[in-house]
């Protein structure tokens, strides 16, 4: 049988993992595909001692792989957006199918790439772009295809989860833990992408499109990182029975779609709250299946290669099938996409955790609670912490409130002379617990 010929662009962590998995499991993979997978060409600026590519054609110019007539599938593992976009579009124009692990590329340029792929009759697969080794896109687009998806909520950035876990369990400082995540190879090239929620927003954009059949709309994701979370917040959340996790949430409210990534208090008894360290986990709630959960390594060489190689296998099987007859790029047919509106964060309703530092004198609490009630905000629980020098910390949990009302109330509270302007608020989600 003729082999499926694969060209790999990029030989970093995921590239070397992909080479190793393809080589180590070659026989089993050939049995699954019905024909062998051959690495025909690798494009990489540098060699990688973590894999053996002897005997494989190697080019320093990655575009040589995208135009190589011998390559059936281009595997894009260079990361970034500008060159990766150019490379993928070049490969598509040259009739190659595409496998990529690049979440930024798909979230920001996916609509353009799918259009070009459709015009050229080729396929694009990107399972590895979201939650590494967890087959979450296939679960959404195929395994759960019978369902109307109600919501998806996930821990989809391992670096952020590692930092929050270490802060909670080890009482360690933020910077110290981030450095370790970088050394372990989990953090993005620019770790602010992890810390500020950009990485999670890229992944949520992709998840939401496959969940709801909407175009990729990265610019509409509300984004907040973990940079302002303190050990005090972590401890206070625990006292109320919650843990702080950085979640990506996509929800179909029936009146628009919520797309948001931010730190979130979730009840300690939920399964997501037990997901620690660099692990990822995603909950999907479908109308037929109910709540489901998927857990695993969200980054790293071989976990990510597991998803890359699965996409290569799927394409290898379907190489002779017309692309219109395969699973659509986003799980829904391109002419059947919904234009359901994406809600702004002001339209989102949820409970809040608030931490304020106030002067310890009569009437201060009364002023705060009056402002909250004037804005239709009801308090669920409140604790005044031990007196520090000067200001007293107050932490409270509210019932569900519209974000716009909370913003209005917090602006008025921050304007009080008796309250420190640096007020912390973290959204609360019960995940139907
Ligand atoms: N920086 C990402 C993370 C890597 O920490 O989850 C996988 O996308």
């Amino acid at each position: 049988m003729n082999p499926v010929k694969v060209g790999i662009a990029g030989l970093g962590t995921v590239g070397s993992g992909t080479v190793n998995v393809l080589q180590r499991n070659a026989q089993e993979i050939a049995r699954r595909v019905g024909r062998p997978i051959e690495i025909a060409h690798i494009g990489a600026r540098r060699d990688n001692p973590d894999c053996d590519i002897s005997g494989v054609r190697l080019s320093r110019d990655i575009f040589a792989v995208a135009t190589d007539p011998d390559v059936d599938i281009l595997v894009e593992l260079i990361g970034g957006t500008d060159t990766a976009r150019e490379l993928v579009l070049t490969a598509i124009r040259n009739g190659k199918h595409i496998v990529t692990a690049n979440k930024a590329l798909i979230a920001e340029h996916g609509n353009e790439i799918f259009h070009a792929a459709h015009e050229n009759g080729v396929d694009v697969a990107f399972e590895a772009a979201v939650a590494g080794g967890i087959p979450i896109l296939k679960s959404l687009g195929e395994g759960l295809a019978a369902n109307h998806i109600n919501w998806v909520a996930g821990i989809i950035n391992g670096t952020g989860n590692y930092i929050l876990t270490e802060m909670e369990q080890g009482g360690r400082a933020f910077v110290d833990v981030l450095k370790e995540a970088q050394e372990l190879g989990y953090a993005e090239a620019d770790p602010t992408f992890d810390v500020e929620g950009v990485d999670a927003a890229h992944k949520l954009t992709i998840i939401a499109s496959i969940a709801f059949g909407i175009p990729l709309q990265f610019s509409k994701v509300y984004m907040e990182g973990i940079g302002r979370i303190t050990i005090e917040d972590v401890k206070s959340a625990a006292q109320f029975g919650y843990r702080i996790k950085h979640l990506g949430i996509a929800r179909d409210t029936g009146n628009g779609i919520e797309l948001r990534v931010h730190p979130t208090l979730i009840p300690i008894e939920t399964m997501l709250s037990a997901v620690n360290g660099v692990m990822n986990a995603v909950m999907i709630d479908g109308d037929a299946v109910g709540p489901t959960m998927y857990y695993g390594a969200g980054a790293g060489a071989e976990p990510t290669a597991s998803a890359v190689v699965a996409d290569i296998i799927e394409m290898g099987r379907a190489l002779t099938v017309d692309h219109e007859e395969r699973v659509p790029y986003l799980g829904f047919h391109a002419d059947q996409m919904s234009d359901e509106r994406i809600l702004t964060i002001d339209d989102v309703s949820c409970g809040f955790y608030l931490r304020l530092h106030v002067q310890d004198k009569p009437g201060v609490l009364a002023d705060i609670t009056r402002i909250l009630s004037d804005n239709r905000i009801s308090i669920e629980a409140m604790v005044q912490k031990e007196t520090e020098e000067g200001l007293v910390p107050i932490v409270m949990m509210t019932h569900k409130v519209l974000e716009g009302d909370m913003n209005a109330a917090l602006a008025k509270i921050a304007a009080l002379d008796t309250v420190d302007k640096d007020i912390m608020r973290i959204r609360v989600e019960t995940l139907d617990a």
Side-chain angles (χ1 to χ4, degrees):
M1 245 324 172
N2 283 343
V4 176
K5 301 233 178 137
V6 167
I8 299 176
L11 204 56
T13 306
V14 181
S16 68
T18 299
V19 169
N20 288 331
V21 172
L22 280 172
Q23 289 173 343
R24 189 174 69 239
N25 297 339
Q27 283 191 356
E28 219 159 324
I29 289 170
R31 286 173 56 216
R32 289 184 190 276
V33 180
R35 47 202 281 213
I37 306 268
E38 179 188 318
I39 303 174
H41 197 163
I42 290 177
R45 264 174 276 154
R46 277 177 291 278
D47 293 344
N48 188 331
D50 293 337
C51 61
D52 175 8
I53 55 164
S54 45
V56 178
R57 183 177 171 206
L58 178 68
S59 295
R60 292 297 174 211
D61 173 14
I62 48 172
F63 283 84
V65 184
T67 54
D68 182 346
D70 206 27
V71 165
D72 299 312
I73 301 169
L74 177 90
V75 183
E76 183 278 304
L77 302 174
I78 62 170
T81 43
D82 295 346
T83 309
R85 172 180 164 275
E86 200 46 51
L87 180 78
V88 163
L89 291 174
T90 303
I92 288 172
R93 282 196 295 271
N94 282 273
K96 319 285 177 220
H97 300 283
I98 306 293
V99 171
T100 176
N102 192 330
K103 56 242 159 177
L105 178 72
I106 296 298
E108 295 183 33
H109 300 293
N111 297 323
E112 178 193 12
I113 289 169
F114 300 148
H115 180 73
H118 177 68
E119 297 282 295
N120 287 275
V122 295
D123 212 351
V124 183
F126 41 92
E127 180 65 66
V130 180
I134 309 175
I136 197 68
L137 303 186
K138 283 191 181 64
S139 300
L140 262 175
E142 296 176 53
L144 299 177
N147 288 260
H148 168 77
I149 303 297
N150 296 319
W151 53 265
V152 182
I155 295 172
I156 46 179
N157 180 266
T159 302
N161 199 48
Y162 183 62
I163 292 171
L164 288 176
T165 305
E166 287 295 311
M167 281 172 75
E168 186 193 346
Q169 295 182 354
R172 291 175 60 193
F174 190 96
V175 185
D176 182 30
V177 188
L178 176 59
K179 190 162 170 283
E180 201 171 303
Q182 285 173 292
E183 283 161 8
L184 288 167
Y186 290 108
E188 293 302 297
D190 177 355
T192 57
F193 272 39
D194 297 301
V195 172
E196 289 172 7
V198 181
D199 178 74
H202 281 143
K203 294 167 182 165
L204 187 75
T205 302
I206 299 171
I207 285 175
S209 286
I210 298 178
F212 306 124
I214 55 173
L216 297 152
Q217 295 168 79
F218 171 66
S219 63
K220 295 192 181 157
V221 180
Y222 174 79
M223 213 185 303
E224 221 176 86
I226 57 172
R228 289 185 64 228
I229 306 281
T230 63
I231 301 269
E232 185 184 356
D233 295 320
V234 171
K235 285 186 183 155
S236 300
Q239 281 171 355
F240 287 125
Y242 291 83
R243 196 164 272 145
I244 303 175
K245 292 290 182 190
H246 189 261
L247 295 191
I249 298 170
R251 177 181 280 123
D252 186 355
T253 66
N255 187 30
I257 290 172
E258 295 176 5
L259 286 185
R260 48 197 173 100
V261 303
H262 51 70
T264 315
L265 265 74
I266 56 175
I268 280 173
E269 63 271 18
T270 56
M271 282 196 288
L272 268 188
S273 100
V275 175
N276 288 323
V278 291
M279 299 308 277
N280 281 198
V282 182
M283 285 184 77
I284 302 173
D285 187 73
D287 67 342
V289 72
T292 60
M293 180 159 145
Y294 311 80
Y295 170 87
E302 291 216 0
T304 310
S306 165
V308 169
V309 174
D311 277 347
I312 296 172
I313 289 171
E314 187 189 329
M315 278 192 188
R317 285 177 180 140
L319 220 49
T320 53
V321 176
D322 189 84
H323 96 100
E324 298 271 28
E325 287 162 33
R326 297 187 215 141
V327 179
Y329 306 124
L330 290 172
F332 289 73
H333 281 278
D335 59 355
Q336 297 292 322
M337 299 307 265
S338 150
D339 58 3
E340 195 169 349
R341 76 183 174 122
I342 308 299
L343 298 174
T344 68
I345 194 71
D346 275 359
D347 294 325
V348 171
S349 182
C350 58
F352 279 85
Y353 159 98
L354 300 176
R355 166 174 51 78
L356 312 90
H357 290 88
V358 305
Q359 288 176 16
D360 195 9
K361 64 181 194 188
V364 174
L365 208 49
D367 287 343
I368 294 169
T369 52
R370 181 183 40 75
I371 292 172
L372 290 174
S373 79
D374 285 351
N375 286 278
R376 297 166 289 281
I377 300 167
S378 161
I379 298 167
E380 185 182 298
M382 183 160 66
V383 177
Q384 179 171 328
K385 300 285 184 137
E386 281 172 29
T387 311
E388 287 175 348
E389 260 181 50
L391 299 176
V392 186
I394 291 175
V395 285
M396 61 176 86
M397 307 275 299
T398 75
H399 288 287
K400 265 194 175 188
V401 47
L402 210 55
E403 178 107 6
D405 288 342
M406 179 55 82
N407 287 339
L410 289 184
K412 286 187 193 129
I413 292 171
L416 294 171
D417 292 340
T418 48
V419 177
D420 188 290
K421 295 199 177 352
D422 184 22
I423 299 172
M424 181 61 168
R425 48 93 168 262
I426 308 176
R427 295 168 193 87
V428 181
E429 289 289 340
T430 56
L431 304 171
D432 293 352

